[in-house]
């Protein structure tokens, strides 16, 4: 009876206290045998804490996780059933009441336990035994032992203050009807747990306030249209059956429970036969969270909500509990072993034996782990319903969105590949590249750099020209139109999917509850207001309740300056890379090795792109941190505005970071080079970069390819997989325990303790951000890189499972937040897809040679073909017009004297009246390019709007169902009404003492 | 006791029947003196119909409105209070139950009464007296009198069928708890009225189903921010006080009732002290309408809702009643007298004397008439709250929108006038027009037509050039940017206003009830489905419940063809006008009179614009009819889709009609003229029109001016004021009664009879359509006509009051439809303001000379000014290059021989290598123009989006209030909850026989 002996050791603020408003576990009281005394202290009551002694035994591993050996045996001794559940499942010690929410706080560890170990154990055991007996007899308020009292006085004021606030908060919670149980320093030293349970009546009350839609008893048929449609649907479902995860709800549903906002007055409508499962764990935890958020500490100087309490360290964390499936701990341990989930499950079952086997009853988390968070089922649909059931609507919507996005990428990827293959197939039929490669067109080009370079033959650019064709052909134009429409289709498809989910998840009535949910001021905000008020009071000015613009001006200014500065940094980095490219190129050109020189272009391009990539990834992390810092400095009022402002800043910075080099390549490179004899120089004598002959598209393409692939590979693999693994490795080395031991320890932990070791849930914003940037890559420059959707698709297939694993095994369970949509992200997507139209228009008309080819073919070509196009794009330059000291050092490099060299531009020849002026063709083509931009932009926007208009936002069948549901509810109530009236009539007939015409008031007035 | 004697004349289907579910007016029964017999027929009971005899007396005016003289005296005799109300107010005959809704139907007039008058009167009196006595004794079902039975058999089958359906429908309504009263052929022959009253319990039940938000007892402060803000608001309100109508609710409100969806279980929350006024007349009527819509006749071959019944003539009309304010009839009578409303009110009061004076108690309609529907208060705000209270949210939103639009036009008009004045002020400093007018620039222009015209001097175009400057200057560009932003601001402002109204009107919770409201299939649709089913049955195919695509294909094809044809007609008309202009111009040029010729241009322009205007107005009406016809043919399923499709078609047709001539003028005129020596000819030898020298902007401007002013003047004055007056005049001449007599007759009519003479409410679509077209005029071509907003403003100030008058006095009261927004019109507005950006960009860059001037100034001008611009825009033409027979007949018209003439275009001179080719300047300017379009479009769109983003959709204070309201509701319920729990505790304490720990189930399971 060791555990029982340790009971009530530090009664004042000690571990093992349960507040029971109106019930107490009789059997435990019976074991104590002092029922009469306990009666007096019904509200603030202690229950036995079985393994306190063992905790002390463990605490020799100071600062580390405790480990307990004889625990399960002890457990089996003390009680038969309840405590078994309480031990490892998420239950109170009575084994009956479910833990719906956990608050943790810091506990000052007993100073003695730090220094001595075995001695302390004996001493504390003795102490606690004596105290428990003493207490059970007198049952007066602690502390009474002078030794302990003296110890407690040594605790500093701060600790007292925190405890004081905790006490107030807990009492407030109890006033709201919640039941709480404390557990301090058990197994995990230094951490106190406040387990919260919401009893049935509290759940009902809150569900009514929150207008939670709950399924009623009434079911109705979900007809999917006529027989033919239904059959086709069934057939499709059968064919695609292997793609569905083996989760119950993914079967074709023919019935749906009618849902109605829960109301205690209409309880009879709901199926309350199983009260335990009527509100599932997600709903329970969000209800408790709702209450906690509403509760405020008012006794201290200023009122504090839970967010303030968390921020001030009164509590260290707050989280609902995961289902117990022994997924997380085993996974945490075995992640390195890469065991297949199925195998592992067996392994776990075998390992855990009987006692643990009871706990591994099938639950949602286990199902999610098997049917969702696994790479081996990457080809399957996600069990969205289950995700929503377990994590709440917000997380559900994220994964649904990610799923829709990935699914929509499939056709885009296929078309992209086809376009690419079309490029490959037609590369030999392409007249311009043939002309470039044709040795007979003996075209001498002007030197690419001053002095060091000499004249060169156009055939040297043959390879680049052929490669360019892969990405710069007619199909590209159609592909970018396709992708613009694709983006619109995607948005529409998502809207419909969202609507369908809203219907299935019974969110159709729910409006801006969400907003209300987040309107509580943040702790930092409250703190700042308080500080301001203190200052005001010092200057005896009236109090104000909010921060004004003037208060925020410094922060705003800093933000503005920082943002501008950071964007300037981004630009500088890009310019730096450009300089690197120019200088390296010049240097390489200087070297005389011919083979070396031929590889110059490719080398420079690739190294520059890699440098860019590395810088982008590093800056990405930095910008994320800076954006958070800036937002914290801004002190937004509510969590919602904090989130929005953070997203806004992070989006701008990360977007600028990712896209500046690409935009430079697409639109600025090769535009500002001047002309032979009048080049444009930067920093002394560096000539600006030229593009390869066939336009800059090729280089843009390489840059995009490297950025996309590299970013995804590095960010996903290194950051999301590698770094956690590294952390684990370090921790293991530090803890000096082998995996077997660690596993054993984890097994003995209770549910709330296990969850304590998981990472806190950090929200969905980083995930969304990553995807938005990717969406940008896919849509913005798709004209130059048709393979982008394919790369994105491959990445996302992995991404889904990676995120799934994180949510199921690595994060604490998030609070089931209700959400009807994906919020600001939808607007960003919409904005991006709009910008994409313009960007693509410019890429096609300015970066590619599409328009010049078209104009040549229909205006200048003598025979209506592209023959002679290359010649047409090249202007003449008289080598005598070189500025002094810029002519080649080696003019006879090609073996003959050059009088006239050619360069790529539309300029008048040296012999015209206006030598080297921009020619009529230039303006002609420029007008065509601009006209193309206008036409493309407006046509595609019109088409997008048309598609938008064509596809109804609410799917037909859903709107029919919603309507049906509404009618059913009215019908239900009408019937009820009639039944009631009938009952009333009968009653009034049976009781003749009542006047017959009681209700109608008009008769009474009529009789006057 | 004449009236009593006429009681119960045709009992079977006769007039004067009231169904009373559970009450009966005791005093009338007392007068009859046969209470015991009446008991048996409690449900289907007749009440006296006082003036049946007098009705017959009146019916000599066959086919016209009946007229009754001794009515009010009789009325005073029969009863003291109730019947007084029942007579003229909207009450049942018992004077207690309000008429909430009226259905009218056709009654076969007694064939005898058509032929004889006085004889019939005596006979029918005798008959009815005998029958009433007989009936009161036996009280069996009629008909029993063989004579009457024989008469009734003569009624044809159709009438019987209709009656049968009516009976069923009425019984269904009674089953729903409504109370009805019949009144047939009283005063107005041939029309039966079914008056419907909703008793209190029905109102409560339906209000609960409809989730009507009703004000609770709880009030809360509406704080408008800090003290300073509040003071400023108060000050502004005081200053603008004269602008507010004298309506109660326009005072600054500091309190607002907390609203909550009505629920009978939470009745105690609501202030039900005055049951009569808790649900106002608008709500009562919409509740009744809701019930009527739900009610279906099922006994006949196919189920029929109210819409089918109306369409099939079972009922002829259905309307709720206006408040009785004697506004409509007096107004109808006195409209021609143009009496000021205030004066008229006094007049009416004097006229009506005592009896009427009781009825003219202040009510909403009277208030609206005085404080809204009057031209004399055009400068005031509208009493939107009152409009909504009386007409419902949908009408309220229309007028609120119109008000916001008109208000927003004020700044636009001011800026427009300033821009115009700037043009006027700078006309003398404008270098291009100075150069044109300068005689020293001796520029000889090429002839404007073949043969007949000769060379002319540029100075002749001096006047046009100067006028053009008024609308084509730098300020115009800024004005069109301003107007694009203005449109966005307007949309935003409206969104905010809408949100504010939603809050004030307690619509924030209400979602898509509206949609559900309109999802009932239309009568025509049901009829078509039935027809189809009949055909199917004939071919023994399975029944289908809806029309498929194949059923609709013919209709769709017709619609498509018709639409294309009509748009083609529009184009043809425009082309016809162009041809008219060309031919008239040529003909006029042929005449030799010089003074005549100088006025040619102005004459042609103006006459053509007038012709265009007349055609537009005529076609507008035709297109409206065609659109309706096409939509009827399409057989849309629901009223909502009918409305949407109709709006869509009408919008396309009317828009094309209004804007085709303007678009032609802006973008096509003067573009396709060819060049001297190579003109472009249409229909034989007509050269296409050229623009005046300074661009087509001037003509566009004239066209816009005439269209806007003319359309508004004609449509408003002629159609909306003139034609109704004409109709009245004709009717009066037909009725051959003087106004005094008619007025007297109107006075004696009961409320439902008066309303029967009003025009049925036709919906808001025509009003919206007119405004949308006007909005198009204001925004689309604002670059060319800065005065458009001013014209629109002047029109709208009148329009508001005109529409108000229509709604208050000329239309039957509309059913108070709930609506959160203005629906499809908002999207159309948004679409228009987007298109406006592009159109304005093109107008500025292509129609005006803004870009050429800019390019000249910054690229070609030697001194950076516009000097020499005119010369630059003119190309040279060698007169020897004229095609044969196109050179002027009178080459020496100017007095000297012309070798080289000039024409407006950018072409190479005859002496260059490429004579008459488009020059480099042309392409240069074209590129500049296109670039301007891109920049303008994207910048303005970006700015619009920015403004959109900057201005929150929900005003700050409103969102705060909404949040506050929500919290208050939660608080209210929490308090209630606590109170109840406390009560429960006390009860359980007082009753010791109950176990103390009853509710918590966990204890019981714990004790196992």
């Amino acid at each position: 009876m060791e555990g029982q002996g340790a009971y009530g050791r530090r009664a004042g603020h000690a571990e093992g206290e349960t507040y029971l408003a109106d019930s107490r576990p009789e059997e435990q009281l019976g074991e104590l045998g002092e029922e009469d005394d306990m009666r007096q202290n019904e509200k603030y009551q202690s229950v036995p804490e079985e393994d306190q002694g063992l905790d002390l035994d463990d605490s020799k591993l100071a600062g580390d996780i405790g480990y307990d050996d004889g625990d399960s045996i002890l457990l089996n001794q003390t009680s038969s059933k309840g405590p078994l559940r309480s031990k490892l499942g998420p239950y109170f010690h009575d084994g009956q009441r479910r833990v719906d929410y956990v608050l943790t706080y810091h506990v000052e560890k007993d100073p003695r336990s730090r220094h001595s170990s075995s001695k302390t154990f004996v001493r504390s055991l003795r102490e606690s035994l004596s105290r428990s007996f003493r207490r059970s007899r007198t049952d007066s308020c602690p502390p009474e032992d002078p030794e302990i009292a003296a110890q407690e006085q040594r605790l500093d004021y701060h600790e007292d203050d925190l405890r004081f606030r905790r006490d107030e908060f807990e009492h407030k919670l109890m006033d709201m009807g919640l039941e709480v149980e404390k557990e301090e320093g058990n197994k995990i030293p230094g951490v106190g747990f406040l387990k919260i349970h919401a009893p049935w009546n509290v759940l009902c009350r809150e569900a009514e306030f929150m207008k939670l839609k709950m399924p009623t008893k009434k079911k109705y048929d979900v007809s999917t249209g006529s027989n033919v449609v239904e059959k086709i649907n069934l057939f499709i479902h059968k064919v695609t059956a292997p793609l569905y995860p083996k989760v119950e709800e993914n079967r074709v549903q023919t019935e749906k429970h009618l849902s109605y906002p829960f109301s205690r007055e209409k309880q009879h409508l709901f199926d309350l036969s199983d009260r335990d499962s009527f509100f599932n764990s997600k709903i329970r935890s969000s209800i408790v969270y709702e209450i906690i958020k509403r509760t405020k500490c008012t006794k201290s100087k200023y009122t504090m909500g839970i967010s303030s309490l968390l921020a001030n360290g009164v509590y260290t964390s707050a989280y609902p509990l995961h289902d117990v499936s022994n997924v997380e701990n085993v996974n945490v341990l075995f992640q390195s072993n890469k065991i297949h989930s199925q195998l592992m499950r067996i392994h776990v079952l075998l390992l855990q034996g009987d006692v643990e086997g009871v706990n591994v009853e099938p639950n949602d988390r286990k199902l999610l782990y098997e049917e969702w968070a696994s790479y081996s089922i990457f080809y399957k649909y996600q069990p969205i319903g289950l995700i929503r059931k377990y994590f709440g609507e917000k997380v559900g919507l994220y994964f649904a969105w990610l799923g829709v996005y990935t699914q929509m990428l499939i056709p885009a990827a296929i078309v992209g590949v086809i376009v690419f293959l079309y490029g490959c197939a037609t590369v030999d039929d392409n007249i311009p590249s043939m002309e470039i490669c044709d040795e007979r067109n003996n075209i001498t080009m002007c030197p690419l750099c001053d002095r060091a370079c000499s004249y060169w033959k156009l055939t040297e650019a043959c390879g680049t020209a052929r490669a360019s064709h892969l990405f710069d052909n007619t199909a590209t134009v159609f592909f970018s139109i396709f992708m613009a429409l694709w983006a619109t289709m995607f948005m529409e498809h998502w809207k419909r999917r969202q609507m369908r989910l809203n219907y299935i998840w019974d969110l159709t009535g729910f409006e801006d509850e969400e907003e209300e949910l987040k309107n509580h001021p943040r702790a930092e905000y409250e703190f700042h207001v308080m500080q301001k008020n203190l200052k005001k009071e010092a200057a005896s000015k009236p109090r104000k309740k909010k921060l004004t613009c003037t208060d925020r001006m410094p922060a705003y200014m800093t933000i503005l300056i920082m943002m501008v500065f950071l964007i300037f940094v981004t630009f500088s980095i890009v310019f730096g890379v450009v300089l690197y490219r120019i200088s390296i190129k010049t240097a390489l050109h200087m070297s005389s090795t011919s083979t070396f020189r031929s590889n110059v272009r490719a080398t420079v391009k690739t190294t520059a792109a890699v440098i860019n990539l590395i810088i982008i990834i590093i800056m990405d992390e930095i910008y994320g941190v800076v954006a958070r810092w800036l937002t914290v400095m801004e002190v937004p009022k509510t969590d919602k505005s904090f989130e929005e402002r953070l997203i806004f800043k992070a989006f701008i910075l990360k977007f600028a970071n990712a896209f500046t080099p690409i935009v430079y390549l697409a639109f600025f490179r090769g535009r500002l080079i001047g002309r032979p004899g009048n080049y444009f120089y930067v920093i002394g004598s560096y000539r600006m970069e030229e593009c390869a002959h066939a336009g800059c598209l090729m280089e843009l393409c390489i840059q995009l390819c490297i950025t996309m692939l590299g970013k995804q590979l590095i960010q996903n693999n290194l950051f999301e997989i590698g770094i956690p693994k590294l952390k684990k490795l370090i921790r293991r080395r530090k803890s000096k325990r082998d995996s077997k031991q660690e596993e054993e320890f984890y097994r003995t932990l209770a549910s709330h303790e296990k969850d304590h070791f998981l990472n806190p849930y950090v929200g969905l914003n980083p995930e969304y951000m990553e995807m938005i940037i990717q969406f940008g890559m896919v849509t913005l420059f798709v004209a130059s890189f048709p393979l982008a959707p394919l790369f994105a698709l491959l990445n996302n297939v992995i991404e889904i499972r990676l995120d799934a694993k994180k949510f199921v095994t690595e994060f604490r369970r998030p609070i089931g937040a209700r959400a009807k949509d994906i919020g600001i992200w939808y607007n960003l997507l919409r904005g991006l897809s709009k910008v994409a139209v313009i960007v693509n228009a410019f890429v096609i008309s300015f970066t590619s040679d599409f328009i010049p080819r078209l104009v040549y073919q229909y205006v200048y070509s003598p025979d209506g073909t592209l023959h002679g196009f290359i010649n047409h794009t090249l202007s003449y330059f008289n080598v005598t017009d070189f500025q002094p000291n810029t002519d080649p050092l080696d003019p006879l490099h090609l073996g003959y004297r050059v009088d006239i060299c050619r360069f790529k531009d539309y300029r008048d020849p040296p012999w015209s009246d206006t030598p080297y002026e921009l020619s009529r063709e230039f303006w002609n083509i420029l007008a065509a390019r601009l006209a193309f931009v206008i036409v493309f932009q407006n046509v595609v926007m019109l088409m997008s709007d048309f598609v938008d208009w064509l596809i109804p936002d609410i799917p037909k069948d859903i709107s029919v169902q919603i309507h049906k549901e509404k009618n059913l509810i009215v019908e239900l109530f009408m019937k009820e009404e009639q039944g009631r009236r009938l009952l009333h009539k009968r009653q009034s007939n049976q009781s003749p003492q009542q006047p017959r015409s009681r209700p109608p008031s008009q008769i009474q007035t009529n009789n006057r």
Side-chain angles (χ1 to χ4, degrees), chain A residues 46-306:
Chain A
S46 298
V47 289
E49 177 60 270
E50 297 96 334
D51 31 40
Q52 184 54 40
L54 290 157
D55 168 44
L56 292 172
D57 186 42
D58 250 352
S59 60
K60 61 185 172 239
L61 302 161
D64 202 348
I65 306 145
Y67 175 66
D68 182 4
D69 220 332
D71 192 79
S72 56
I73 307 143
L74 189 89
L75 203 124
N76 283 332
Q77 287 172 343
T78 44
S79 64
S80 61
K81 198 181 173 190
L84 176 106
R85 270 171 86 185
S86 88
K87 196 63 220 130
L88 294 165
Y91 294 94
F92 275 17
H93 274 89
D94 59 8
Q96 296 299 338
R97 286 170 293 169
R98 218 189 128 81
V99 178
D100 296 316
Y101 207 84
V102 169
L103 295 174
T104 68
Y105 49 90
H106 189 75
V107 183
E108 188 68 19
K109 263 176 281 182
D110 202 315
R112 292 163 297 176
S113 63
R114 271 183 221 152
H115 308 292
S116 55
S117 60
S118 56
K119 260 192 252 173
T120 318
F121 168 61
V122 180
R123 195 171 125 204
S124 69
L125 188 68
R126 207 186 318 124
E127 263 171 32
S128 59
L129 275 167
S130 66
R131 277 193 63 209
S132 75
F133 279 110
R134 212 182 311 152
R135 191 181 164 206
S136 59
R137 268 185 211 108
T138 59
D139 204 63
S140 65
C141 270
E144 30 185 17
D145 190 339
E147 188 194 3
I148 293 162
Q151 268 176 26
E152 279 179 346
Q153 276 166 1
R154 262 174 274 150
L155 291 168
D156 57 17
Y157 172 73
H158 182 65
E159 274 292 319
D160 265 350
D161 185 47
L162 294 185
R163 197 152 39 79
F164 171 70
R165 288 197 191 149
R166 276 201 292 275
D167 284 346
E168 194 203 337
F169 194 70
E170 282 148 26
H171 276 99
K172 284 264 165 87
L173 289 183
M174 285 191 289
D175 287 347
M176 298 299 295
L178 294 177
E179 295 170 8
V180 301
E181 186 179 65
K182 263 190 178 175
E183 186 177 322
E184 269 177 28
N186 177 20
K187 282 217 206 79
I188 308 165
V191 180
F193 292 97
L194 182 75
K195 297 184 273 184
I196 302 173
H197 168 76
W200 173 253
N201 56 340
V202 171
L203 290 176
C204 288
R205 187 189 66 206
E206 294 296 320
E208 189 173 336
F209 290 156
M210 289 164 79
K211 288 178 187 156
L212 286 180
K213 272 194 169 183
M214 300 302 295
T216 59
K217 283 177 202 158
K218 186 156 179 80
K219 284 181 180 180
Y220 67 96
D221 280 346
V222 180
S223 61
T224 46
S226 68
N227 270 333
V228 184
V229 177
E230 217 164 291
K231 271 178 194 164
I232 292 171
N233 277 351
L234 257 177
F235 176 75
I236 290 174
H237 201 88
K238 242 177 215 169
V239 168
T240 57
L243 294 182
Y244 287 95
K246 288 179 208 114
V247 177
E248 201 149 312
E249 70 217 36
N250 265 304
R251 290 189 203 127
V252 177
Q253 288 178 327
T254 52
E255 276 190 331
K256 186 176 186 288
H257 278 282
L258 196 64
S259 285
Y260 193 75
F262 185 78
S263 156
R264 281 165 297 173
E265 273 147 357
K266 296 202 170 68
Q267 268 193 24
H268 55 279
L269 292 177
F270 303 95
D271 180 19
L272 302 179
S273 58
D274 186 4
R275 286 191 172 188
D276 281 348
S277 63
F278 184 70
F279 296 110
N280 64 29
S281 60
K282 182 203 69 182
I283 293 175
R284 296 170 73 96
S285 64
S286 54
I287 284 174
V288 174
Y289 181 63
E290 190 66 32
I291 297 172
I292 287 177
K293 264 200 316 181
R294 223 170 37 214
T295 310
K296 305 257 175 195
C297 281
T298 48
K299 283 190 189 159
S300 49
K301 204 179 284 169
Y302 57 105
T303 57
M304 288 172 104
I306 180 67

Side-chain angles (χ1 to χ4, degrees), chain A residues 974-984:
Chain A
M974 280 301 286
K975 250 184 216 162
E976 196 190 323
E977 175 70 20
Q978 278 174 350
R980 205 184 294 172
R981 217 203 286 166
L982 215 71
L983 202 77
H984 185 259

Side-chain angles (χ1 to χ4, degrees), chain A residues 478-723:
Chain A
F478 293 105
F479 187 58
S480 58
I481 294 173
F482 169 81
M483 282 305 284
L485 294 182
W486 173 86
T488 315
M489 293 278 283
F490 165 54
M491 306 304 289
E492 284 302 305
H493 187 59
W494 168 242
K495 258 197 277 183
R496 286 165 68 86
R497 176 97 176 117
Q498 195 169 267
M499 201 59 222
R500 192 177 291 274
L501 290 178
N502 277 343
Y503 162 69
I504 295 172
W505 296 350
D506 290 321
L507 292 171
T508 40
F510 159 72
E511 216 177 348
D512 41 8
E513 242 56 26
E514 179 64 12
E515 206 182 349
E516 201 248 351
L517 208 95
K518 293 197 171 168
N519 259 342
H520 297 273
R522 298 182 71 240
E524 284 84 354
Y525 182 81
E526 283 178 346
F527 181 70
H528 272 260
V529 171
M530 190 195 65
Q531 269 196 328
K532 196 187 151 192
N533 281 335
L534 287 179
K535 266 187 215 166
K536 280 269 165 73
E537 270 168 26
S540 67
K541 280 178 191 171
R543 269 173 169 251
K544 270 190 182 178
K545 274 195 168 177
K546 57 177 186 178
L547 296 181
T548 57
C549 262
T550 46
D551 295 323
R552 283 191 167 151
M553 202 35 83
Y556 282 144
M557 287 311 296
T558 320
I559 288 163
L560 194 73
I561 291 166
M562 272 305 283
M563 295 288 280
V564 170
F565 171 72
L566 288 175
I567 288 170
F568 176 75
V569 166
T570 310
F571 288 167
S572 313
I573 288 167
V574 171
F575 189 66
V577 174
V578 169
L579 279 188
Y580 157 82
R581 259 196 302 235
I582 297 172
S583 53
I584 295 289
K585 209 185 265 175
T586 316
L588 290 174
H589 271 299
M590 298 249 184
S591 84
S592 51
T593 328
S594 172
T595 50
F596 192 75
R597 208 189 298 176
S598 69
N599 292 323
V600 162
R601 278 171 186 258
T603 319
V604 172
K605 269 177 222 165
T606 318
T607 53
V610 169
I611 290 172
N612 249 335
L613 169 68
I614 292 166
I615 291 173
I616 283 174
I617 289 172
I618 293 170
M619 293 311 283
D620 215 44
E621 297 298 313
I622 293 172
Y623 286 161
V625 174
V626 170
R628 181 163 285 275
W629 173 64
L630 286 176
T631 315
V632 167
M633 202 163 65
E634 199 184 344
V635 199
K637 191 173 174 186
T638 62
D639 277 334
K640 200 186 169 194
S641 75
F642 183 89
E643 203 173 299
E644 270 179 8
R645 274 150 209 264
L646 175 62
I647 289 171
F648 182 72
K649 287 190 195 70
F651 180 75
I652 288 181
L653 290 177
K654 292 193 172 187
F655 211 77
N657 182 39
F659 286 95
T660 310
I662 298 169
V663 168
Y664 166 77
L665 268 180
F667 301 122
F668 296 99
R669 177 130 179 235
R671 310 273 156 203
L672 304 162
I673 49 167
R675 60 168 179 84
N678 188 20
Y679 280 115
F680 179 73
Y681 293 95
V682 282
I683 314 183
S685 58
Y686 289 113
R687 249 167 68 183
M688 279 303 285
E689 301 178 282
E690 274 180 71
C691 286
H693 184 79
C696 281
L697 211 63
M698 190 62 208
E699 305 189 21
L700 178 57
C701 186
I702 291 173
Q703 176 77 53
L704 269 170
C705 184
I706 289 178
T707 309
M708 272 196 82
L709 264 185
K711 204 160 175 272
Q712 291 176 356
L713 281 179
I714 293 178
Q715 282 195 338
N716 272 352
N717 293 336
L718 196 75
F719 289 178
E720 301 199 358
I721 302 176
I723 287 184

